[in-house]
Amino acid sequence: VAGVPIGGLTVAEAEAALSSALSARVTPLRLVAGAYTQTIEPTAINLHADPAALLAAAAPALGSSTPVRVPLQLSFDETALREQMTTFAAESALPPQVTVITSTDVLSRSFAYIPGRAIDLDRSLEIVSGLLRRGRATEPIALTLWPTTEQPRASLEQLTTQLEEMAEAWDGVAGVYLYDLATGAEVAVNARSVFPGASTIKTAIMLYAYTKLETFTERQWRRMRLMIIESDNLAANDILAAGAGGTGTDLAFRGAEEMSDMLADLGLEYLYLYVPYESTDYIRLYNVRYRCGPRDPVGEPPYTETGCALRATPYAIGQIYRMIDECARGEGVLLEKFELLNPDRCQEMLDLLAENGDNSRMVAGLPEGVRVEHKSGWIDNTQADAGIVRSPGGDYVLAVYVYKPLGDRAAWPDSLLGGAIADFSRLVYTAYNPIQIDPASQGDTP
């Protein structure tokens, strides 16, 4: 019985012999996973041998000429063992490791991760329980650490550091604003620097029209789509005029001022358009007087060349998207201030922004198929893109502006400025959805 010969002994003698021999077989349990080791004392799981039960298993052989062998069996508290191994699983687990990978391009970088590793608790319990019952747990038991399916995120501190380094490396001024739609967490790098507003402010023009017009005519809706999807400037002027109650350049000027006042009332500093697009000749021909913001430099450093009538900051334009998203979810300041807005109309705005045809800036830094509700803009020395990215790892508002002094150039190519925006966009996306760089499926066993 349990390796102890008891032939020819009385039952009492056999039980005494087993008790003496088996006491040395009940030893502390040592578990090992990777570099982590844990010792579980027998008393913690009530690990013990039961000589009477072992002898009962040998009883059928009494009075028989046929020998019998009864293997060792130990008893233990299964609930207590699970509790101990649950603790072991948590303490031996290796969390995913987030890192940064870069290319030869100084701006191009992405977050990546090495998967975490942990034991398979249920399978490990089967292994340990089986060894314990057979009394074969006197040596350390090595358990396998398997890759986990948990996908981590980069921390806000990690992301901020990388964005700051990229902005520092940019030969000009780069501004980035990030807002997490689930948590409200923010990351800001030169987010209150003032940039030329370009066409990113067309999202604000759209919002202005929705606050002024209960419905759109067929022509107005066509012009709205043209403004957002193709970034048509004259269509934007038509929407400004429609918001002011009619058509024509005069009303487009009034709409631009009303929209800018609306943005100021929402607390959005340095976000305005005081003149319609492409109105320089009209201003000269009719000697039109128009509002103008303070002269450059304005806002917080670092500074850019902005003019005085069309400006934006990454922070301010990001708030527009945050507010529209809140409205679509039935909450927020837009519903409080504007009677003509409701969740369905705000969702309609987001759906239209998702149709934006520009795939060369923010979208270029994202995997195919990711929904992006955005509006971009570009002029000779500045390009920008801002919107909401709906990603598997979380939804966020992102606004990126890049400015580069022209020197003796007429304009910078899209591939340079637009490519920089794509690089910033890629970094943020991979902060939410890091790239797995260790796809190994095998476990690590010490």
Side-chain angles (χ1 to χ4, degrees):
V1 174
V4 178
I6 60 169
L9 302 180
T10 66
V11 173
E13 291 171 337
E15 187 168 344
L18 283 174
S19 296
S20 175
L22 296 183
S23 62
R25 304 287 293 275
V26 180
T27 60
L29 174 65
R30 290 186 64 205
L31 303 178
V32 180
Y36 185 78
T37 300
Q38 178 176 328
T39 299
I40 301 175
E41 295 297 332
T43 54
I45 57 174
N46 193 24
L47 179 63
H48 64 282
D50 187 348
L54 291 170
L55 288 175
L62 291 178
S64 168
S65 61
T66 303
V68 66
R69 291 180 179 273
V70 177
L72 171 64
Q73 292 187 24
L74 298 179
S75 299
F76 56 91
D77 185 329
E78 295 186 8
T79 300
L81 178 63
R82 174 174 283 275
E83 291 174 354
Q84 292 287 329
M85 290 197 62
T86 298
T87 300
F88 174 77
E91 294 181 352
S92 64
L94 302 175
Q97 300 177 41
V98 177
T99 186
V100 177
I101 54 177
T102 62
S103 76
T104 53
D105 184 342
V106 67
L107 276 182
S108 180
R109 58 187 70 190
S110 303
F111 284 102
Y113 76 101
I114 299 171
R117 292 180 178 270
I119 67 168
D120 181 329
L121 180 59
D122 289 337
R123 175 58 181 151
S124 296
L125 271 169
E126 290 180 9
I127 294 171
V128 173
S129 296
L131 292 172
L132 283 177
R133 289 191 179 95
R134 297 192 300 275
R136 296 176 57 188
T138 56
E139 298 295 328
I141 301 174
L143 300 172
T144 300
L145 290 172
W146 297 97
T148 62
T149 59
E150 174 193 4
Q151 185 177 40
R153 282 189 189 179
S155 69
L156 292 181
E157 293 75 15
Q158 289 174 307
L159 178 56
T160 300
T161 296
Q162 295 302 318
L163 288 173
E164 288 175 343
E165 290 181 2
M166 289 178 65
E168 181 66 25
W170 176 249
D171 185 17
V173 179
V176 181
Y177 175 73
L178 168 71
Y179 180 86
D180 188 296
L181 287 170
T183 67
E186 296 176 302
V187 174
V189 178
N190 302 331
R192 295 181 185 270
S193 288
V194 180
F195 293 81
S199 290
T200 56
I201 205 167
K202 287 172 181 172
T203 299
I205 296 175
M206 175 183 67
L207 174 61
Y208 164 70
Y210 269 83
T211 67
K212 292 291 186 179
L213 301 171
E214 187 171 3
T215 60
F216 299 110
T217 66
E218 183 177 343
R219 182 182 184 281
Q220 288 169 344
W221 183 243
R222 287 200 306 269
R223 302 301 281 172
M224 180 81 78
R225 290 179 57 81
L226 195 61
M227 174 182 72
I228 296 298
I229 296 174
E230 299 184 23
S231 200
D232 187 275
N233 288 341
L234 298 183
N237 293 347
D238 289 344
I239 297 301
L240 285 169
T247 60
T249 305
D250 286 346
L251 283 177
F253 271 89
R254 182 188 301 174
E257 289 203 17
E258 288 183 357
M259 181 206 66
S260 298
D261 290 340
M262 176 195 76
L263 297 175
D265 185 58
L266 289 170
L268 304 179
E269 190 176 18
Y270 295 115
L271 183 62
Y272 47 74
L273 170 69
Y274 290 142
V275 298
Y277 289 96
E278 301 182 25
S279 58
T280 302
D281 290 341
Y282 184 89
I283 291 171
R284 290 174 178 170
L285 180 62
Y286 294 102
N287 194 28
V288 176
R289 298 177 64 85
Y290 59 90
R291 285 167 63 182
C292 206
R295 292 182 179 180
D296 287 329
V298 295
E300 297 182 3
Y303 301 112
T304 70
E305 301 172 86
T306 66
C308 69
L310 174 53
R311 287 170 167 157
T313 70
Y315 172 82
I317 202 70
Q319 302 312 303
I320 293 292
Y321 288 92
R322 180 183 64 78
M323 292 174 185
I324 294 175
D325 181 78
E326 286 178 344
C327 173
R329 290 185 279 110
E331 56 191 38
V333 66
L334 296 183
L335 293 178
E336 297 171 4
K337 283 184 172 290
F338 303 108
E339 293 182 358
L340 295 184
L341 293 184
N342 57 53
D344 288 341
R345 298 195 83 202
C346 287
Q347 184 60 53
E348 186 173 88
M349 285 188 265
L350 295 176
D351 291 340
L352 179 54
L353 288 163
E355 295 188 57
N356 185 351
D358 180 14
N359 296 322
S360 62
R361 294 171 179 82
M362 183 186 295
V363 176
L366 308 177
E368 186 175 353
V370 174
R371 177 180 168 102
V372 188
E373 301 146 4
H374 70 120
K375 182 69 194 75
S376 52
W378 54 94
I379 57 175
D380 51 6
N381 64 1
T382 301
Q383 293 199 17
D385 208 344
I388 297 174
V389 178
R390 310 286 182 179
S391 89
D395 298 344
Y396 56 88
V397 173
L398 179 65
V400 181
Y401 286 71
V402 292
Y403 160 84
K404 188 175 174 66
L406 288 174
D408 57 359
R409 291 175 173 267
W412 291 106
D414 283 355
S415 59
L416 178 62
L417 272 64
I421 293 171
D423 288 337
F424 280 106
S425 177
R426 181 184 304 110
L427 179 70
V428 174
Y429 180 86
T430 58
Y432 279 78
N433 309 272
I435 302 163
Q436 182 174 315
I437 59 174
D438 179 17
S441 60
Q442 297 301 312
D444 289 339
T445 304

